[in-house]
Amino acid sequence: MSGPAFQPAASSPASQWFLVCVAGPDRGKQLALTEEDLFIGRSPESNLLSDDPDVTERYARVRLEKSGMRIWGLADTLPFVDGHSRMEALLAPGHQVRIGRSLWQVVRPGSPEGVLGLVSLLGDHITTVAGLEKPTEWRPGEMFSEVIKRHPDEAVESYFTVGASETTPALAAIDARWPRPWVFIRVLLLTLVIYFGFVAAWNEFENVKLIPAVIIMGSVAIPFALLIFFFEVNVARDVSLYQVIKLLLLGGLLSIVVSLFGFRWTGLSTWLGAASAGVIEETGKTLALLLIVARPRYRWLLNGLLFGAAVGTGFAVFESAGYALEIGIGDGVQAMRENIMTRGFLSLMGGHVLWTALVGAALWRRRGSEPFRVEMLADPGFLRVLAVCMAMHMLWNSPIRLPAYGKYVILGLIAWFLVLEFIQAGLKQIRQAQAAESGLRAAEPLPGSPA
């Protein structure tokens, strides 16, 4: 901490609240908050003396209140909270504020954190690396409100009739509010019922001809339901189910073959072990996305999220089926079923579907409405997201073990956090395009009016 910041007594509640810089020129600095006004700036009289060149002599004033830390902007360039400049804002523990070029976070070490606190801290750093904003618009109760409602089969059928020229809504007609997916639950329940039906049939008859059905349905159930979730999240409704299934099959095949060649040519697994899959398999799945990234029709970030999920689903299904067969031959049907259940459960926490969805979203974010060029793969913003997914994959495969699948839960929460951030960014992209189109229409002269 820099400057003559007030140091409260240990018994004071204020000693449990800090403003900590997590990124930027002031990284590592912290300010103990009090119920008195404290000032941030480059002036020697500031309670926190900033080294950030974008911070003025007297930039902001902060004070601890009962409900959080209140900040006031004192300069022409105001602090940014949740991506918006604010003259005044109230921040709770975990909230972030950008002051100049530095990112600061309100921290209360005395509050219970546990796994969620660790995930929040890691998520904050990864969010900064990925160049995203926290999903402040996300309301889980609202997003999943349709899941518990009754929907007739006709509604499910019509839900999938999208993506053709006559069924794709115009830009102005796209509902760019947060999506409310519900079909994915129907798909999940149906596939699980079929899987357990085949398991029950095996238990009763032990007919070896039932084994392929157990492997197929067990490998498909959860990854495919996740893919349908991303299909529903694509509010542009411009991708048909046919295109999704085609990319699942072709992308799954291509990514696995490329990965196998990668393992053979690099020899990376000889010194990195299972963690080498994080580099090789994420590269293979990224290259599979080149099957469709060049199509100018699909220009939305949410398209990339869906296409990435399709490739990841194909990889996950084919890989899980292979593992199940290998274990079934070597260790028997019971061990095979345990492997299927474990991999299926863990795919909810992360895995190929989520990681490749994130990479696809980052690639489409870079491409935007421009024609695809190979040099876009060298874009720093895209490479940072790819590196994060590679790192999560390597940690996933590492020998690190935590109780109650803790490692996978932490990595899964971080992956889902990033997914939500990309959904929010994708919705904002569509809203901005709608606003731009609306502005152009408003600027056009009415028929018969002078130009």
Side-chain angles (χ1 to χ4, degrees):
M1 180 176 64
S2 300
F6 173 76
Q7 298 292 336
S11 60
S12 170
S15 64
Q16 299 178 3
W17 294 70
F18 294 88
L19 185 62
V20 179
C21 186
V22 296
D26 284 329
R27 182 175 181 177
K29 293 187 177 185
Q30 64 179 27
L31 175 66
L33 300 174
T34 77
E35 296 176 358
E36 299 178 3
D37 288 343
L38 301 174
F39 295 89
I40 300 172
R42 294 175 62 84
S43 168
E45 288 77 30
S46 300
N47 297 91
L48 189 140
L49 185 60
S50 174
D51 296 323
D52 194 318
D54 285 2
V55 171
T56 59
E57 293 290 302
R58 198 173 176 86
Y59 191 91
R61 173 167 59 99
V62 297
R63 184 175 66 208
L64 182 63
E65 299 182 355
K66 290 183 178 180
S67 52
M69 184 201 81
R70 190 169 297 278
I71 183 170
W72 293 267
L74 304 177
D76 292 336
T77 52
L78 300 175
F80 275 73
V81 179
D82 297 331
H84 302 282
S85 60
R86 303 286 183 88
M87 181 67 73
E88 179 183 342
L90 183 67
L91 284 72
H95 285 183
Q96 294 182 335
V97 56
R98 185 169 292 278
I99 299 176
R101 300 181 189 176
S102 300
L103 188 66
W104 296 76
Q105 180 168 328
V106 180
V107 176
R108 188 182 181 187
S111 61
E113 292 186 271
V115 172
L116 291 179
L118 176 60
V119 170
S120 177
L121 181 60
L122 292 173
D124 291 338
H125 285 288
I126 293 174
T127 293
T128 303
V129 170
L132 295 166
E133 296 179 6
K134 282 189 172 183
T136 55
E137 300 176 5
W138 180 57
R139 302 290 183 271
E142 179 180 344
M143 183 175 185
F144 297 109
S145 59
E146 294 292 321
V147 168
I148 59 176
K149 295 182 180 179
R150 294 178 60 87
H151 298 276
D153 287 344
E154 292 78 7
V156 178
E157 293 167 0
S158 63
Y159 210 79
F160 290 113
T161 54
V162 298
S165 57
E166 65 275 9
T167 56
T168 298
L171 175 59
I174 296 175
D175 184 355
R177 295 175 297 177
W178 269 83
R180 298 181 181 184
W182 57 272
V183 176
F184 77 100
I185 289 293
R186 291 284 192 91
V187 172
L188 176 61
L189 294 176
L190 176 62
T191 51
L192 287 178
V193 166
I194 295 173
Y195 167 72
F196 285 112
F198 278 116
V199 169
W202 163 260
N203 291 336
E204 178 66 26
F205 302 106
E206 294 192 357
N207 188 322
V208 71
K209 298 182 180 64
L210 295 170
I211 296 300
V214 173
I215 292 176
I216 292 170
M217 293 310 303
S219 302
V220 164
I222 294 180
F224 189 69
L226 285 174
L227 177 58
I228 297 302
F229 169 84
F230 286 104
F231 181 83
E232 295 184 84
V233 162
N234 180 40
V235 297
R237 314 299 285 163
D238 58 344
V239 180
S240 67
L241 189 60
Y242 165 72
Q243 292 291 347
V244 172
I245 299 299
K246 183 172 75 171
L247 191 58
L248 182 157
L249 298 173
L250 291 177
L253 169 64
L254 179 62
S255 58
I256 284 181
V257 171
V258 169
S259 297
L260 290 174
F261 275 115
F263 283 115
R264 175 191 290 181
W265 291 337
T266 64
L268 202 59
S269 59
T270 58
W271 58 281
L272 266 184
S276 63
V279 176
I280 293 175
E281 292 178 1
E282 294 309 316
T283 301
K285 290 181 293 178
T286 299
L287 293 177
L289 286 170
L290 301 184
L291 289 170
I292 201 166
V293 70
R295 295 194 183 185
R297 172 185 172 187
Y298 304 117
R299 62 184 176 122
W300 304 115
L301 187 156
L302 294 177
N303 295 158
L305 198 68
L306 172 58
F307 291 139
V311 171
T313 298
F315 195 104
V317 168
F318 297 145
E319 182 186 55
S320 292
Y323 275 116
L325 177 62
E326 180 182 39
I327 292 173
I329 293 174
D331 301 320
V333 174
Q334 182 59 35
M336 178 195 74
R337 285 167 48 188
E338 291 175 359
N339 175 264
I340 288 173
M341 293 294 292
T342 300
R343 288 182 65 87
F345 167 74
L346 292 180
S347 66
L348 291 172
M349 294 290 101
H352 297 292
V353 181
L354 299 189
W355 297 329
T356 318
L358 294 172
V359 173
L363 181 56
W364 259 256
R365 177 179 64 175
R366 171 60 187 89
R367 196 204 75 173
S369 57
E370 302 176 29
F372 173 73
R373 304 185 305 277
V374 174
E375 52 265 32
M376 289 180 176
L377 295 174
D379 175 71
F382 164 72
L383 290 177
R384 284 195 295 267
V385 174
L386 177 60
V388 167
C389 293
M390 286 181 173
M392 287 194 290
H393 194 160
M394 293 177 74
L395 287 170
W396 188 280
N397 285 8
S398 72
I400 298 172
R401 294 288 181 268
L402 296 176
Y405 296 104
K407 176 179 70 173
Y408 307 107
V409 172
I410 292 172
L411 291 172
L413 289 174
I414 292 172
W416 276 112
F417 194 72
L418 290 173
V419 165
L420 292 173
E421 291 177 335
F422 267 120
I423 293 175
Q424 178 172 273
L427 295 173
K428 287 186 176 181
Q429 179 195 30
I430 293 175
R431 291 179 201 142
Q432 290 169 355
Q434 289 174 329
E437 183 182 68
S438 176
L440 287 174
R441 289 178 177 175
E444 292 177 358
L446 296 174
S449 63

